[in-house]
Amino acid sequence: MKKTVDVALPVGPMHPCWKEPVRLKCEMKGEHVLACEVELGYAKKGIERIMRGRPWQEVMFLAERICGICTVIHNYVFIETVEEISEITVPERAEYLRVIVNELDRIQSHLLANFSYCYTIEHETLGMYLLSIRETALDQLELITGARITCAYMIPGGVRFDLSGEDAITLQEGLSAIETETMRYRGMFETGPMIGLRSKGVGILTTEDAKIVGAVGPTGRASNVPFDVRSGHPVYQRLGFEPVVYDTCDNWGRIMARFDEVLQSCALIRTCLLKMKPGSIRGGGAIKGGEAVHSGEAPRGELRYYLKTDEHGRVIDISIRTPSIPNIEASGHYMIPGVSSAADVTSSFISCDPCVSCCER
Amino acid sequence: MSLLQKIKNTVRSRSIHVCYVNTGSCNGCDIEILACLGPRYDLEQYGIYVHNNPREADVLLVTGPICQQWDDKLKSIWDKMPEPKVAVAIGNCPISGCLYDREGSYVNPPASKYIPIAAEIPGCPPCPREIIGAILSLAPEIFRDYEEKNK
């Protein structure tokens, strides 16, 4: 990729804005970024290789530790794949409890992503507000599952713990706090003049480019690609789910899409609490052999598992496609080249919410 | 104890600079370190500042099971830090590799093979209050009377 270049600017692998090791090699002409190359490989652990040949009881915990920020969805999709192979049905209450925990995880992940963006554009005040409200979401997660991050809440046939009436009231109060505060911070982000200068029209990913590169999640939806795996999920269809779509195609739209999804997740949890009836939270069933492909909507986009097991439940083959791969590609190929300042490189990269440990596994 | 040492001890106890390095962790420990920065746990009220720059750090927080890429880089980051310095391993990964240290993986734990680790905080991931507690109990012990001890 050598061109007429003034400066080659490396960013990372250790950088104050990065939470995980990744390196961007930018080619600059003055302050103008001409090209960018993303260098991955600092967090490769070979999880899929470890998974092969192990029983599902072990792989379940390994799958959860692919990514620390979106642990719940990895657990959710892996367990749903196992259930699809073994034809296990889940009680209705457990289905709603799964959605509640998944949406709480999405809330905390989106708030963390928006914190990272605000921190990167040097708006630390708003970032700290968002971290503060994220703790409320983590408290609710701890209340239901017993752990803040790696909770292993879902198991084949249901969930581990029930939600008691008192806890449901605490959850409602927590949701009200999250909603009011998020509305306030969303307003601050929407109208902030300095935030607008740093975000509007920066890191453009047009709809055509998003379709070519296959951008998923809020990154794709902010570029007017109305694709959300939750629209096809039977439980979410019962809840009347509609994806959030923005057509601004820039950093500002991606962050606003995440704010809107936080509010949407709060509404989904409330609907779940209304629709939930008392009953069993754990069904029965036996693990069978077979293979299946299953998708779920992670906070960053579509997460897909291919799983092949033998009749004892041992994993013969597994392949995981995480949403960060197309999003990092979109960021490196389309968002960053063309930004007019070196300071916008980090903010454009963070705006697609890259999760390197997800991406490399 | 000299007057200069007394002043240094007082000043150092409220000015601990922290740098964290992710050597291939799953982000679980990193977001718990990040939660420490937030208003609820608020590291800065104890005089601990996170800059993520090894050249001005006193404490290095190591997360992750040391992937192959980090075999030599972790040592070079440690060498960049000025004295007095201390390294803390956060989570099970730098201590034992957690569940990644199996046959066929690309990890090479523990972190103490590469740099001297002064404290280990187990947990997958540990709570923010455990991380803060470890830094607060460890750092003053290491930095107290540093110049007189190392004359």
Short mmCIF file of all heavy atoms in Angstrom, two decimals, chain A residues 182-235:
data_model
loop_
_atom_site.label_atom_id
_atom_site.label_comp_id
_atom_site.label_asym_id
_atom_site.label_seq_id
_atom_site.Cartn_x
_atom_site.Cartn_y
_atom_site.Cartn_z
N THR A 182 -30.52 8.20 30.42
CA THR A 182 -30.10 8.05 29.03
C THR A 182 -30.77 9.09 28.15
O THR A 182 -30.15 9.62 27.23
CB THR A 182 -30.41 6.63 28.53
OG1 THR A 182 -29.93 5.70 29.46
CG2 THR A 182 -29.77 6.37 27.18
N MET A 183 -32.05 9.40 28.43
CA MET A 183 -32.73 10.45 27.66
C MET A 183 -31.97 11.77 27.80
O MET A 183 -31.77 12.50 26.82
CB MET A 183 -34.16 10.66 28.20
CG MET A 183 -35.16 9.61 27.77
SD MET A 183 -35.43 9.57 26.01
CE MET A 183 -36.49 10.96 25.83
N ARG A 184 -31.51 12.05 29.04
CA ARG A 184 -30.80 13.31 29.28
C ARG A 184 -29.48 13.33 28.50
O ARG A 184 -29.16 14.31 27.81
CB ARG A 184 -30.53 13.41 30.78
CG ARG A 184 -30.43 14.83 31.27
CD ARG A 184 -30.25 14.86 32.76
NE ARG A 184 -29.02 15.53 33.10
CZ ARG A 184 -28.18 15.13 34.03
NH1 ARG A 184 -28.43 14.04 34.71
NH2 ARG A 184 -27.09 15.81 34.26
N TYR A 185 -28.73 12.23 28.58
CA TYR A 185 -27.41 12.21 27.92
C TYR A 185 -27.56 12.16 26.40
O TYR A 185 -26.74 12.72 25.69
CB TYR A 185 -26.58 11.02 28.42
CG TYR A 185 -26.44 11.00 29.92
CD1 TYR A 185 -26.39 9.81 30.63
CD2 TYR A 185 -26.38 12.19 30.64
CE1 TYR A 185 -26.29 9.79 32.00
CE2 TYR A 185 -26.28 12.18 32.00
CZ TYR A 185 -26.23 10.99 32.69
OH TYR A 185 -26.14 10.98 34.04
N ARG A 186 -28.64 11.53 25.95
CA ARG A 186 -28.90 11.50 24.51
C ARG A 186 -29.15 12.92 24.01
O ARG A 186 -28.63 13.33 22.97
CB ARG A 186 -30.12 10.62 24.23
CG ARG A 186 -30.42 10.41 22.77
CD ARG A 186 -31.71 9.63 22.61
NE ARG A 186 -32.09 9.53 21.22
CZ ARG A 186 -32.76 10.46 20.57
NH1 ARG A 186 -33.12 11.56 21.19
NH2 ARG A 186 -33.07 10.29 19.30
N GLY A 187 -29.93 13.68 24.80
CA GLY A 187 -30.18 15.07 24.44
C GLY A 187 -28.90 15.87 24.42
O GLY A 187 -28.66 16.68 23.51
N MET A 188 -28.02 15.63 25.43
CA MET A 188 -26.75 16.34 25.47
C MET A 188 -25.91 16.02 24.25
O MET A 188 -25.27 16.90 23.67
CB MET A 188 -25.97 15.94 26.74
CG MET A 188 -26.47 16.58 28.00
SD MET A 188 -25.87 15.73 29.45
CE MET A 188 -24.17 16.20 29.47
N PHE A 189 -25.92 14.74 23.86
CA PHE A 189 -25.10 14.34 22.70
C PHE A 189 -25.70 14.89 21.41
O PHE A 189 -24.97 15.32 20.52
CB PHE A 189 -25.01 12.81 22.62
CG PHE A 189 -23.97 12.33 21.67
CD1 PHE A 189 -22.67 12.14 22.09
CD2 PHE A 189 -24.27 12.11 20.34
CE1 PHE A 189 -21.70 11.73 21.22
CE2 PHE A 189 -23.31 11.69 19.46
CZ PHE A 189 -22.01 11.50 19.90
N GLU A 190 -27.05 14.89 21.34
CA GLU A 190 -27.71 15.30 20.10
C GLU A 190 -27.48 16.78 19.83
O GLU A 190 -27.26 17.18 18.69
CB GLU A 190 -29.21 15.00 20.23
CG GLU A 190 -29.96 15.05 18.93
CD GLU A 190 -31.40 14.66 19.11
OE1 GLU A 190 -31.85 14.53 20.27
OE2 GLU A 190 -32.08 14.49 18.09
N THR A 191 -27.54 17.60 20.89
CA THR A 191 -27.51 19.05 20.68
C THR A 191 -26.15 19.66 20.96
O THR A 191 -25.96 20.84 20.64
CB THR A 191 -28.54 19.72 21.60
OG1 THR A 191 -28.31 19.28 22.94
CG2 THR A 191 -29.95 19.36 21.20
N GLY A 192 -25.22 18.90 21.54
CA GLY A 192 -23.92 19.49 21.89
C GLY A 192 -23.20 20.03 20.66
O GLY A 192 -22.90 19.27 19.74
N PRO A 193 -22.89 21.34 20.63
CA PRO A 193 -22.28 21.90 19.41
C PRO A 193 -20.87 21.37 19.16
O PRO A 193 -20.52 21.07 18.01
CB PRO A 193 -22.28 23.41 19.67
CG PRO A 193 -22.43 23.56 21.13
CD PRO A 193 -23.16 22.37 21.64
N MET A 194 -20.07 21.22 20.24
CA MET A 194 -18.71 20.73 20.03
C MET A 194 -18.71 19.26 19.62
O MET A 194 -17.92 18.82 18.80
CB MET A 194 -17.88 20.91 21.30
CG MET A 194 -17.77 22.34 21.77
SD MET A 194 -17.39 23.45 20.45
CE MET A 194 -15.65 23.61 20.62
N ILE A 195 -19.66 18.50 20.22
CA ILE A 195 -19.77 17.08 19.85
C ILE A 195 -20.15 16.98 18.38
O ILE A 195 -19.61 16.16 17.64
CB ILE A 195 -20.82 16.39 20.75
CG1 ILE A 195 -20.36 16.40 22.19
CG2 ILE A 195 -21.08 14.97 20.28
CD1 ILE A 195 -21.36 15.88 23.17
N GLY A 196 -21.07 17.86 17.94
CA GLY A 196 -21.48 17.85 16.54
C GLY A 196 -20.32 18.13 15.61
O GLY A 196 -20.16 17.47 14.58
N LEU A 197 -19.45 19.09 16.01
CA LEU A 197 -18.31 19.42 15.15
C LEU A 197 -17.35 18.25 15.03
O LEU A 197 -16.76 18.04 13.98
CB LEU A 197 -17.56 20.63 15.73
CG LEU A 197 -18.21 22.00 15.52
CD1 LEU A 197 -17.42 23.06 16.27
CD2 LEU A 197 -18.28 22.33 14.05
N ARG A 198 -17.18 17.50 16.12
CA ARG A 198 -16.26 16.37 16.07
C ARG A 198 -16.88 15.13 15.43
O ARG A 198 -16.16 14.21 15.06
CB ARG A 198 -15.80 15.97 17.49
CG ARG A 198 -14.68 16.76 18.07
CD ARG A 198 -13.43 16.74 17.25
NE ARG A 198 -12.81 15.46 17.04
CZ ARG A 198 -11.93 14.90 17.84
NH1 ARG A 198 -11.58 15.51 18.93
NH2 ARG A 198 -11.39 13.74 17.55
N SER A 199 -18.22 15.05 15.37
CA SER A 199 -18.86 13.80 14.98
C SER A 199 -19.65 13.86 13.68
O SER A 199 -19.67 12.89 12.94
CB SER A 199 -19.83 13.34 16.08
OG SER A 199 -19.24 13.45 17.32
N LYS A 200 -20.32 14.98 13.42
CA LYS A 200 -21.20 15.02 12.24
C LYS A 200 -20.37 15.09 10.97
O LYS A 200 -19.48 15.94 10.85
CB LYS A 200 -22.16 16.21 12.33
CG LYS A 200 -23.32 15.94 13.27
CD LYS A 200 -24.29 17.09 13.30
CE LYS A 200 -25.35 16.81 14.35
NZ LYS A 200 -26.16 17.98 14.66
N GLY A 201 -20.64 14.20 10.04
CA GLY A 201 -19.93 14.20 8.77
C GLY A 201 -18.54 13.63 8.84
O GLY A 201 -17.78 13.73 7.89
N VAL A 202 -18.18 13.01 9.98
CA VAL A 202 -16.86 12.40 10.12
C VAL A 202 -17.02 10.89 10.05
O VAL A 202 -17.97 10.34 10.59
CB VAL A 202 -16.22 12.80 11.48
CG1 VAL A 202 -14.89 12.13 11.66
CG2 VAL A 202 -16.07 14.30 11.56
N GLY A 203 -16.09 10.22 9.39
CA GLY A 203 -16.14 8.76 9.32
C GLY A 203 -17.33 8.26 8.53
O GLY A 203 -18.09 7.43 8.99
N ILE A 204 -17.47 8.76 7.29
CA ILE A 204 -18.65 8.41 6.49
C ILE A 204 -18.57 6.96 6.01
O ILE A 204 -17.54 6.53 5.47
CB ILE A 204 -18.75 9.36 5.28
CG1 ILE A 204 -18.93 10.80 5.75
CG2 ILE A 204 -19.87 8.94 4.34
CD1 ILE A 204 -20.29 11.16 6.21
N LEU A 205 -19.64 6.22 6.22
CA LEU A 205 -19.78 4.87 5.65
C LEU A 205 -21.12 4.88 4.91
O LEU A 205 -22.17 4.81 5.53
CB LEU A 205 -19.77 3.81 6.75
CG LEU A 205 -20.00 2.37 6.33
CD1 LEU A 205 -18.81 1.85 5.57
CD2 LEU A 205 -20.25 1.49 7.53
N THR A 206 -21.06 5.02 3.57
CA THR A 206 -22.31 5.14 2.82
C THR A 206 -23.05 3.81 2.80
O THR A 206 -22.47 2.75 3.08
CB THR A 206 -22.03 5.58 1.37
OG1 THR A 206 -21.15 4.62 0.79
CG2 THR A 206 -21.39 6.94 1.32
N THR A 207 -24.34 3.86 2.45
CA THR A 207 -25.17 2.66 2.45
C THR A 207 -24.60 1.60 1.51
O THR A 207 -24.58 0.41 1.84
CB THR A 207 -26.59 3.03 2.02
OG1 THR A 207 -26.98 4.18 2.75
CG2 THR A 207 -27.57 1.92 2.30
N GLU A 208 -24.13 2.04 0.33
CA GLU A 208 -23.58 1.08 -0.64
C GLU A 208 -22.34 0.41 -0.06
O GLU A 208 -22.19 -0.82 -0.14
CB GLU A 208 -23.22 1.78 -1.97
CG GLU A 208 -24.38 2.34 -2.77
CD GLU A 208 -24.93 3.61 -2.18
OE1 GLU A 208 -24.13 4.46 -1.75
OE2 GLU A 208 -26.17 3.75 -2.12
N ASP A 209 -21.46 1.22 0.51
CA ASP A 209 -20.23 0.66 1.09
C ASP A 209 -20.55 -0.29 2.24
O ASP A 209 -19.93 -1.34 2.39
CB ASP A 209 -19.32 1.78 1.59
CG ASP A 209 -18.75 2.62 0.46
OD1 ASP A 209 -18.82 2.13 -0.69
OD2 ASP A 209 -18.26 3.71 0.72
N ALA A 210 -21.54 0.09 3.06
CA ALA A 210 -21.92 -0.76 4.19
C ALA A 210 -22.41 -2.10 3.70
O ALA A 210 -22.15 -3.15 4.30
CB ALA A 210 -22.99 -0.07 5.02
N LYS A 211 -23.14 -2.09 2.55
CA LYS A 211 -23.64 -3.36 2.00
C LYS A 211 -22.50 -4.17 1.42
O LYS A 211 -22.49 -5.40 1.53
CB LYS A 211 -24.72 -3.08 0.94
CG LYS A 211 -26.05 -2.76 1.59
CD LYS A 211 -27.11 -2.43 0.56
CE LYS A 211 -28.41 -2.09 1.25
NZ LYS A 211 -29.33 -1.42 0.34
N ILE A 212 -21.54 -3.49 0.78
CA ILE A 212 -20.41 -4.22 0.17
C ILE A 212 -19.59 -4.91 1.26
O ILE A 212 -19.27 -6.10 1.17
CB ILE A 212 -19.51 -3.25 -0.64
CG1 ILE A 212 -20.24 -2.78 -1.89
CG2 ILE A 212 -18.20 -3.92 -1.04
CD1 ILE A 212 -19.57 -1.61 -2.57
N VAL A 213 -19.27 -4.15 2.32
CA VAL A 213 -18.38 -4.69 3.35
C VAL A 213 -19.15 -5.58 4.33
O VAL A 213 -18.55 -6.37 5.06
CB VAL A 213 -17.62 -3.54 4.04
CG1 VAL A 213 -18.50 -2.85 5.06
CG2 VAL A 213 -16.34 -4.01 4.67
N GLY A 214 -20.47 -5.47 4.32
CA GLY A 214 -21.29 -6.31 5.18
C GLY A 214 -21.33 -5.82 6.62
O GLY A 214 -21.33 -6.63 7.55
N ALA A 215 -21.37 -4.51 6.79
CA ALA A 215 -21.41 -3.95 8.16
C ALA A 215 -22.71 -4.36 8.84
O ALA A 215 -23.77 -4.35 8.24
CB ALA A 215 -21.30 -2.43 8.11
N VAL A 216 -22.60 -4.77 10.10
CA VAL A 216 -23.75 -5.24 10.84
C VAL A 216 -23.89 -4.44 12.14
O VAL A 216 -22.99 -3.70 12.52
CB VAL A 216 -23.64 -6.74 11.18
CG1 VAL A 216 -23.94 -7.59 9.98
CG2 VAL A 216 -22.29 -7.08 11.76
N GLY A 217 -25.00 -4.63 12.79
CA GLY A 217 -25.21 -3.98 14.09
C GLY A 217 -25.45 -2.49 13.94
O GLY A 217 -25.80 -2.02 12.86
N PRO A 218 -25.23 -1.72 15.01
CA PRO A 218 -25.44 -0.27 14.94
C PRO A 218 -24.61 0.40 13.84
O PRO A 218 -25.02 1.40 13.28
CB PRO A 218 -25.03 0.21 16.33
CG PRO A 218 -25.18 -0.95 17.20
CD PRO A 218 -24.89 -2.15 16.37
N THR A 219 -23.44 -0.18 13.53
CA THR A 219 -22.62 0.39 12.45
C THR A 219 -23.36 0.34 11.12
O THR A 219 -23.38 1.31 10.37
CB THR A 219 -21.30 -0.41 12.34
OG1 THR A 219 -20.77 -0.56 13.63
CG2 THR A 219 -20.32 0.28 11.46
N GLY A 220 -23.99 -0.80 10.83
CA GLY A 220 -24.75 -0.92 9.59
C GLY A 220 -26.05 -0.14 9.66
O GLY A 220 -26.44 0.52 8.70
N ARG A 221 -26.72 -0.21 10.82
CA ARG A 221 -28.04 0.42 10.92
C ARG A 221 -27.93 1.95 10.87
O ARG A 221 -28.87 2.61 10.44
CB ARG A 221 -28.73 -0.02 12.22
CG ARG A 221 -29.20 -1.46 12.16
CD ARG A 221 -30.20 -1.77 13.22
NE ARG A 221 -29.59 -1.91 14.53
CZ ARG A 221 -29.02 -3.03 14.98
NH1 ARG A 221 -29.00 -4.10 14.23
NH2 ARG A 221 -28.51 -3.08 16.18
N ALA A 222 -26.78 2.50 11.30
CA ALA A 222 -26.61 3.95 11.19
C ALA A 222 -26.33 4.34 9.74
O ALA A 222 -26.40 5.51 9.39
CB ALA A 222 -25.46 4.41 12.08
N SER A 223 -26.00 3.35 8.88
CA SER A 223 -25.80 3.62 7.46
C SER A 223 -27.03 3.19 6.67
O SER A 223 -26.93 2.85 5.50
CB SER A 223 -24.57 2.88 6.93
OG SER A 223 -23.43 3.40 7.52
N ASN A 224 -28.18 3.15 7.33
CA ASN A 224 -29.46 2.88 6.67
C ASN A 224 -29.55 1.47 6.11
O ASN A 224 -30.11 1.25 5.04
CB ASN A 224 -29.69 3.91 5.55
CG ASN A 224 -31.15 4.16 5.32
OD1 ASN A 224 -31.99 3.59 6.04
ND2 ASN A 224 -31.47 4.97 4.34
N VAL A 225 -28.96 0.49 6.80
CA VAL A 225 -29.13 -0.92 6.43
C VAL A 225 -29.99 -1.54 7.54
O VAL A 225 -29.49 -1.82 8.61
CB VAL A 225 -27.78 -1.65 6.34
CG1 VAL A 225 -27.98 -3.09 5.91
CG2 VAL A 225 -26.86 -0.96 5.39
N PRO A 226 -31.29 -1.69 7.32
CA PRO A 226 -32.16 -2.09 8.43
C PRO A 226 -32.09 -3.59 8.71
O PRO A 226 -33.08 -4.32 8.60
CB PRO A 226 -33.55 -1.68 7.94
CG PRO A 226 -33.46 -1.75 6.46
CD PRO A 226 -32.04 -1.48 6.08
N PHE A 227 -30.90 -4.07 9.07
CA PHE A 227 -30.74 -5.50 9.32
C PHE A 227 -30.51 -5.74 10.79
O PHE A 227 -29.59 -5.19 11.40
CB PHE A 227 -29.55 -6.03 8.51
CG PHE A 227 -29.24 -7.47 8.79
CD1 PHE A 227 -30.09 -8.46 8.36
CD2 PHE A 227 -28.12 -7.83 9.52
CE1 PHE A 227 -29.83 -9.80 8.64
CE2 PHE A 227 -27.85 -9.15 9.80
CZ PHE A 227 -28.70 -10.13 9.36
N ASP A 228 -31.38 -6.55 11.38
CA ASP A 228 -31.25 -6.89 12.79
C ASP A 228 -31.74 -8.32 12.95
O ASP A 228 -32.87 -8.63 12.55
CB ASP A 228 -32.06 -5.94 13.66
CG ASP A 228 -31.68 -6.03 15.12
OD1 ASP A 228 -31.53 -7.16 15.61
OD2 ASP A 228 -31.52 -4.98 15.75
N VAL A 229 -30.91 -9.21 13.49
CA VAL A 229 -31.28 -10.62 13.60
C VAL A 229 -32.47 -10.79 14.54
O VAL A 229 -33.23 -11.73 14.43
CB VAL A 229 -30.08 -11.47 14.07
CG1 VAL A 229 -30.39 -12.93 14.03
CG2 VAL A 229 -28.88 -11.19 13.22
N ARG A 230 -32.62 -9.83 15.47
CA ARG A 230 -33.71 -9.94 16.42
C ARG A 230 -35.07 -9.89 15.73
O ARG A 230 -36.05 -10.43 16.25
CB ARG A 230 -33.62 -8.82 17.45
CG ARG A 230 -32.53 -9.06 18.47
CD ARG A 230 -32.45 -7.93 19.44
NE ARG A 230 -31.86 -6.74 18.85
CZ ARG A 230 -31.82 -5.55 19.44
NH1 ARG A 230 -32.33 -5.40 20.64
NH2 ARG A 230 -31.26 -4.53 18.85
N SER A 231 -35.16 -9.26 14.55
CA SER A 231 -36.46 -9.21 13.84
C SER A 231 -36.95 -10.60 13.49
O SER A 231 -38.15 -10.82 13.34
CB SER A 231 -36.33 -8.40 12.55
OG SER A 231 -35.47 -7.33 12.71
N GLY A 232 -36.03 -11.56 13.34
CA GLY A 232 -36.43 -12.91 12.96
C GLY A 232 -36.51 -13.87 14.13
O GLY A 232 -36.79 -15.05 13.94
N HIS A 233 -36.23 -13.38 15.32
CA HIS A 233 -36.24 -14.26 16.49
C HIS A 233 -37.67 -14.39 17.01
O HIS A 233 -38.36 -13.38 17.18
CB HIS A 233 -35.33 -13.67 17.57
CG HIS A 233 -34.99 -14.61 18.66
ND1 HIS A 233 -35.87 -14.90 19.68
CD2 HIS A 233 -33.89 -15.36 18.92
CE1 HIS A 233 -35.31 -15.77 20.50
NE2 HIS A 233 -34.09 -16.07 20.06
N PRO A 234 -38.15 -15.62 17.27
CA PRO A 234 -39.58 -15.77 17.64
C PRO A 234 -39.99 -15.00 18.88
O PRO A 234 -41.09 -14.44 18.92
CB PRO A 234 -39.73 -17.29 17.85
CG PRO A 234 -38.35 -17.84 17.88
CD PRO A 234 -37.49 -16.91 17.12
N VAL A 235 -39.13 -14.93 19.90
CA VAL A 235 -39.52 -14.22 21.14
C VAL A 235 -39.60 -12.72 20.89
O VAL A 235 -40.54 -12.05 21.34
CB VAL A 235 -38.52 -14.53 22.27
CG1 VAL A 235 -39.00 -13.92 23.57
CG2 VAL A 235 -38.33 -16.02 22.44
#
